[in-house]
Amino acid sequence: MENAPQITLLFTALFVLISVPMSISVGLRRVETGVMLLHGDDEDLLRRMRAHGNFTEYVPLALLGLAGVELVGAPMWLVFGCGGTLLAARLIHYAGLRTSPDNVGRLIGAVLTSLTMLVSGAVILLALAGVI
């Protein structure tokens, strides 16, 4: 276990725990509306579905990037910085999308997520190339 990317595992656990209430929120809305497939033109159900779906689309790949950053030996502050930024980004995005499709939080969360992924990818490539 000592060779495992400990910081990434911490963030993975947090993201797993965060995803559960998101999923439950969708299920509860389905029960409330009686819509068991797709969204049935229910705007709130659609926003819940997309907020959870977007989370599950981006978080796994971003966590792989975070693990890569940790595994190539990046400084602890960088690993925590990327993980913390990703966590904040996904929470901001989720809250923004749940509130309104035009909420600025959605944009901020998307930009911060992309930035985190770009930094992670660049750090991994630079480390593999021996530059850092």
Side-chain angles (χ1 to χ4, degrees):
M1 181 80 161
E2 63 270 355
N3 292 334
Q6 299 295 309
I7 299 169
T8 301
L9 288 173
L10 169 68
F11 281 105
T12 299
L14 293 172
F15 282 112
V16 167
L17 293 173
I18 290 168
S19 74
V20 172
M22 289 181 184
S23 179
I24 290 171
S25 172
V26 173
L28 288 174
R29 185 64 184 168
R30 288 192 179 287
V31 170
E32 290 170 4
T33 61
V35 177
M36 296 299 127
L37 185 64
L38 302 176
H39 62 86
D41 294 325
D42 184 86
E43 186 69 27
D44 186 40
L45 177 56
L46 179 59
R47 280 198 313 275
R48 291 179 193 207
M49 289 170 56
R50 284 310 312 137
H52 180 249
N54 192 277
F55 184 91
T56 61
E57 290 165 1
Y58 283 92
V59 169
L61 186 57
L63 284 172
L64 284 173
L66 185 64
V69 168
E70 190 169 359
L71 289 170
V72 299
M76 188 182 294
W77 64 264
L78 182 60
V79 182
F80 270 111
C82 287
T85 301
L86 180 64
L87 180 61
R90 297 322 305 162
L91 292 173
I92 292 167
H93 184 274
Y94 181 80
L97 186 54
R98 285 283 290 118
T99 304
S100 164
D102 300 328
N103 188 296
V104 70
R106 183 176 175 206
L107 174 63
I108 292 168
V111 168
L112 288 175
T113 298
S114 295
L115 180 62
T116 302
M117 293 174 77
L118 284 169
V119 167
S120 295
V123 167
I124 294 166
L125 288 174
L126 290 171
L128 291 173
V131 175
I132 59 171

